[in-house]
Amino acid sequence: MGINGNGKRNGWTYNEKSVKRNVEKNHYVKTVRKKLMEKKLKNKFQK
């Protein structure tokens, strides 16, 4: 973690919102959610 020319820190700028945003954009999370949704819909329509 260092300091930029303007005196502000760069590095670990994690807050609840940014972590959630990173998780939502994560490719692995997207694929798992998609598979779960497909499975849920499949089970719903089979009944």
Side-chain angles (χ1 to χ4, degrees):
M1 188 171 5
I3 295 178
N4 289 338
N6 59 4
K8 292 186 177 179
R9 285 184 154 179
N10 60 2
W12 304 103
T13 55
Y14 289 124
N15 58 22
E16 207 172 306
K17 236 180 194 178
S18 66
V19 170
K20 186 176 180 184
R21 200 177 310 126
N22 287 337
V23 169
E24 295 294 327
K25 290 182 179 181
N26 189 331
H27 178 70
Y28 176 74
V29 172
K30 279 184 181 178
T31 56
V32 170
R33 283 187 178 161
K34 185 178 177 185
K35 285 181 184 179
L36 287 172
M37 189 56 93
E38 288 172 356
K39 189 175 180 182
K40 187 177 177 182
L41 289 173
K42 195 175 188 183
N43 288 341
K44 187 175 183 180
F45 289 122
Q46 281 181 350
K47 290 183 180 179

